[in-house]
Amino acid sequence: MTTRKEIASNLVVILFGAVFLSYTTRYPLDTWESPGPAVFPLILGAVLTILGVGQLVRALWKSTRKDHREEQRDGGRSVRESLLRNSGEGKAIRMIAIFILYLLMMQWIGFFVSTFLFGIISSRLTETKDWGRPIALSAGLTLFCYLLFEVWLKLSFPRGVLF
Amino acid sequence: MADHGVLSFLLTTLEPVNFAACFFGALLGTLIGVLPGLGPAAAMAMVIPLTLKLGPTAGLIMLAGIYYGSMYGGSTTSILVNVPGEPASVVTTLDGYAMARKGRAGAALAISAIGSFVAGTFSVIALQFFAPLLARSALAFGPAEYFVLTVLGVVLLSNLTGKSRSKSLILIMIGLILSTVGMDPIGGLERFSFGIEAAQGGISFIAITTGLFGVAEVLTVMAAKEKPIEVLPVRFRELYPNRKEMKRSVGPIARGSVLGFLIGLLPGPAATMASFASYGLERSISKHKEDFGKGAIEGVAGPESANNAAAGGAMIPLLSLGLPFTPATAVLLGGMLLHGITPGPFLLRDRPDVFWGVIGSFYLGNMMLLILNLPLVGVFAKIVRIPNHYLMPIILVLCAIGAYGDNGALFDVWVMLGAGVLGYVMRKFDYEPAPLVVGLVLGPVMERSFRQALIISQGDASGLWASPLCLAMWGIALLSVILPMIFQTSILTTPEKGI
């Protein structure tokens, strides 16, 4: 991992720790004889923030000792260039987007119809060129989910306007 | 407990529902082990809702079957495809694949299965003796001792990934923080739920686990370039090692079993560490050093035995102390809690049926895997050729069902997706997600025992180190922090070994 990434990730940890720490003040601390619900989270938030600061100091110390010309060259690349370089990342991002759409659709058209569509769309958008196999796979997957989880396990899935 | 009682509990494994759970768990575990990327932790988390239908004994037998079945499956692809299904099988590719290229794939698979069976059985016998001993001694634990034990667990588990200790500690802290969402375990006050009804009962363990291990793995696999995979052929009649190969495997299997079991007792990626340690040991003592890397049977027998023995060893701290030392046992612990079973010293006293039933299933499962694996290796190896664009959507849907099935709330599926994206980004930033899960599991126990200990000692913090047991555990925790630092410093300052 580059020093820049390390510094960024530690800043996120410190921010998370600090926000959590400030949020714990909303709950009662009570006394040491009978510690309240805020005591344990307060300790955790403090420890996390301290660990984050420690890691950040270490990363900054490393960055001052390191010749990071190469990093600066990397940092100068545009987002588009970076995405082109890592075309795989694009596939992962597409999958996340399709999954979000799947979850949103689930509340509207129901679990089974959206699962059927999700199987087809995700296969098509990631690699597959034909329609037949994704449709067959999706139909099989949906039927399997229906029989195993709904019929046998009696799990109640979200229903929508279609099914 | 009378021996006949133990025997009757062990025999509960043979009841039809438990037998079937053991079979499907071992089969599913083998399939998961075959598939690169998806590990036993994600698979176990996905099927937890399904196991709830089976009841605690059968459900946990199934989860345990997935755990040790994956160790078996990982070796199949290592040998036939040169793709380790599990990190613990990475070292098997060195000599296993080399043997396959020489036309001895069948012998390598057979030795791997036999070694796994012997080591698995050895570790179960050891588990059967050591776990109750440890559990009985832990019965003397009060809240203070339990709190210190969880602190000790956190300190030891900060080495869980084998990478940066401070990064692991940060993730354990985040896991502990997430565990505080929902009802306060002592007073029942609602915390950090932001008015979301589904979060009032706490963050779903399954949602986090399926996200971090399942969804994040899917995204990582999607982002990686897919390579065409060549599966080396293996015929049924070739599935036996010759006399020389058998003779050369006896020692490595025995040594791998003992070494693996002992390493399994340590926190960290035990199965992986055990397989590498065994390979190193075998290479250093072998009379055929020149064969290593070119198809030495010892290079398959030792590591494959060691990683299975380690899987059994890792069950001891889980069953007797309630401490998960590996990501997979952390998920198993989560599964136990969802089944209303609290692992730890009281498990043997309160639920001997579950305790011995799970141990009994290990014997049966190991035998099933031996019978199942050899004839079906060819089929298992072909599974690895299923293209990712077909496999990954299926895994995502199953992850979503796993997360949804926990509470029947779509909120949990969103949590799973969030955890998945977080896990994916974490991998990019060199953070391994396993410690977060451990923190999430240990959090409620840690908080409850901490606050109870303070209440009992009337606010006197010295109560947390008053007993000799507490002092000893604090001492071990301190040493386990200081010793690696001293060791590291001495390496860095020694000119001959300096980095």
Side-chain angles (χ1 to χ4, degrees):
Chain A
M1 184 163 67
T2 62
T3 316
R4 187 182 293 224
K5 269 185 177 178
E6 217 163 295
I7 291 170
S9 64
N10 290 315
L11 283 173
V12 172
V13 168
I14 294 169
L15 188 71
F16 177 73
V19 170
F20 182 74
L21 209 51
S22 66
Y23 206 84
T24 55
T25 55
R26 295 179 180 209
Y27 303 106
L29 278 167
D30 296 341
T31 60
W32 275 110
E33 284 82 8
S34 174
V39 173
F40 189 66
L42 192 79
I43 296 170
L44 295 178
V47 174
L48 180 69
T49 312
I50 292 166
L51 283 169
V53 171
Q55 279 280 93
L56 181 70
V57 170
R58 197 186 287 184
L60 288 171
W61 173 251
K62 225 162 62 177
S63 76
T64 55
R65 295 173 64 189
K66 197 174 163 185
D67 177 15
H68 48 103
R69 268 175 300 181
E70 202 178 307
E71 267 182 51
Q72 282 171 337
R73 211 167 50 227
D74 262 0
R77 284 183 180 144
S78 68
V79 176
R80 193 171 170 275
E81 268 179 72
S82 168
L83 278 176
L84 278 173
R85 223 163 11 103
N86 304 306
S87 58
E89 305 281 339
K91 257 193 236 173
I93 293 167
R94 253 180 294 172
M95 190 53 113
I96 294 168
I98 299 165
F99 197 79
I100 290 173
L101 202 66
Y102 166 56
L103 291 184
L104 292 172
M105 280 197 317
M106 207 184 278
Q107 295 162 74
W108 177 50
I109 55 172
F111 173 80
F112 293 106
V113 179
S114 54
T115 298
F116 177 67
L117 293 175
F118 171 74
I120 299 171
I121 296 167
S122 55
S123 291
R124 282 281 306 177
L125 280 186
T126 45
E127 206 84 37
T128 324
K129 300 284 179 281
D130 64 337
W131 282 98
R133 271 181 279 191
I135 290 173
L137 175 95
S138 268
L141 176 66
T142 311
L143 188 69
F144 170 78
C145 290
Y146 175 73
L147 293 175
L148 179 67
F149 296 103
E150 177 117 341
V151 175
W152 189 54
L153 291 174
K154 309 270 183 250
L155 206 64
S156 166
F157 288 105
R159 289 296 160 96
V161 287
L162 295 172
F163 181 65
Chain B
M1 186 185 299
D3 281 347
H4 67 270
V6 172
L7 190 67
S8 69
F9 287 132
L10 282 171
L11 290 174
T12 57
T13 316
L14 296 176
E15 286 172 14
V17 63
N18 295 341
F19 188 90
C22 187
F23 175 78
F24 284 111
L27 181 68
L28 192 59
T30 309
L31 293 175
I32 295 303
V34 164
L35 293 171
L38 195 66
M44 285 156 71
M46 279 193 297
V47 301
I48 284 175
L50 202 137
T51 63
L52 292 176
K53 178 92 176 168
L54 299 172
T57 308
L60 294 174
I61 283 174
M62 190 168 178
L63 290 176
I66 294 173
Y67 175 46
Y68 52 75
S70 67
M71 295 294 147
Y72 270 72
S75 59
T76 304
T77 46
S78 288
I79 293 166
L80 293 182
V81 194
N82 203 23
V83 175
E86 275 298 297
S89 298
V90 169
V91 79
T92 311
T93 56
L94 300 174
D95 285 285
Y97 188 65
M99 279 183 75
R101 292 200 78 89
K102 286 179 183 172
R104 299 299 299 154
L109 286 162
I111 283 295
S112 157
I114 294 165
S116 299
F117 172 72
V118 172
T121 310
F122 168 79
S123 72
V124 176
I125 294 168
L127 169 70
Q128 193 181 333
F129 285 103
F130 288 117
L133 282 180
L134 199 59
R136 275 185 207 115
S137 57
L139 279 172
F141 281 26
E145 284 79 9
Y146 244 103
F147 171 68
V148 187
L149 180 69
T150 52
V151 172
L152 176 63
V154 165
V155 173
L156 293 173
L157 291 165
S158 60
N159 196 30
L160 184 69
T161 59
K163 290 185 179 174
S164 162
R165 181 177 274 252
S166 45
K167 279 182 181 173
S168 294
L169 271 175
I170 285 174
L171 286 172
I172 292 177
M173 285 302 143
I174 294 174
L176 290 170
I177 284 174
L178 288 176
S179 77
T180 62
V181 175
M183 294 282 182
D184 148 32
I186 302 276
L189 186 90
E190 195 189 312
R191 298 178 299 186
F192 310 109
S193 56
F194 302 100
I196 300 166
E197 206 181 318
Q200 285 169 3
I203 294 272
S204 162
F205 171 80
I206 297 178
I208 295 281
T209 316
T210 45
L212 285 175
F213 292 103
V215 178
E217 283 291 352
V218 167
L219 296 176
T220 309
V221 170
M222 296 293 299
K225 281 197 176 112
E226 202 173 347
K227 293 177 200 153
I229 290 168
E230 184 206 354
V231 180
L232 295 178
V234 57
R235 289 177 198 88
F236 188 70
R237 64 174 182 274
E238 289 171 355
L239 282 171
Y240 55 87
N242 58 37
R243 189 175 288 180
K244 193 179 160 199
E245 285 166 335
M246 278 299 280
K247 203 177 154 195
R248 278 175 63 174
S249 302
V250 174
I253 288 174
R255 285 186 290 272
S257 301
V258 178
L259 185 70
F261 178 76
L262 294 174
I263 291 177
L265 299 173
L266 304 173
T272 311
M273 289 193 304
S275 60
F276 276 94
S278 167
Y279 189 82
L281 175 73
E282 293 309 323
R283 193 172 51 182
S284 63
I285 62 169
S286 174
K287 289 175 190 161
H288 312 277
K289 284 192 181 71
E290 67 287 353
D291 288 352
F292 276 77
K294 295 172 195 160
I297 191 89
E298 295 93 333
V300 176
E304 279 305 312
S305 309
N307 67 32
N308 275 270
M315 295 297 286
I316 290 187
L318 175 73
L319 290 176
S320 53
L321 300 174
L323 277 183
F325 276 3
T326 63
T329 50
V331 180
L332 197 54
L333 172 62
M336 285 178 159
L337 295 173
L338 285 170
H339 276 282
I341 304 288
T342 309
F346 298 107
L347 177 64
L348 183 61
R349 188 193 67 187
D350 299 341
R351 294 303 301 265
D353 54 329
V354 174
F355 186 91
W356 293 111
V358 171
I359 288 182
S361 77
F362 277 38
Y363 286 111
L364 185 68
N366 275 306
M367 216 171 296
M368 278 180 181
L369 284 164
L370 185 68
I371 298 164
L372 197 74
N373 264 270
L374 290 179
L376 293 178
V377 278
V379 179
F380 288 138
K382 279 187 182 129
I383 288 164
V384 84
R385 293 171 73 177
I386 300 174
N388 288 337
H389 48 274
Y390 293 133
L391 202 59
M392 296 305 137
I394 297 175
I395 294 172
L396 276 182
V397 169
L398 293 177
C399 284
I401 293 172
Y404 177 81
D406 188 14
N407 299 311
L410 262 182
F411 171 75
D412 289 341
V413 189
W414 286 105
V415 169
M416 178 205 77
L417 178 64
V421 175
L422 178 74
Y424 177 64
V425 175
M426 270 163 51
R427 273 155 224 240
K428 296 267 159 203
F429 282 76
D430 214 18
Y431 281 81
E432 278 293 325
L436 194 150
V437 175
V438 171
L440 189 64
V441 172
L442 287 182
V445 185
M446 194 181 222
E447 179 172 10
R448 196 181 302 114
S449 52
F450 171 69
R451 286 169 64 186
Q452 281 173 344
L454 281 178
I455 292 168
I456 290 168
S457 66
Q458 292 178 320
D460 184 3
S462 68
L464 296 174
W465 56 82
S467 76
L469 209 57
C470 286
L471 265 178
M473 285 191 285
W474 279 119
I476 297 169
L478 207 64
L479 279 177
S480 66
V481 173
I482 294 169
L483 283 181
M485 284 163 83
I486 295 170
F487 182 66
Q488 207 175 13
T489 315
S490 74
I491 286 176
L492 288 170
T493 51
T494 308
E496 291 85 355
K497 294 174 185 173
I499 296 164

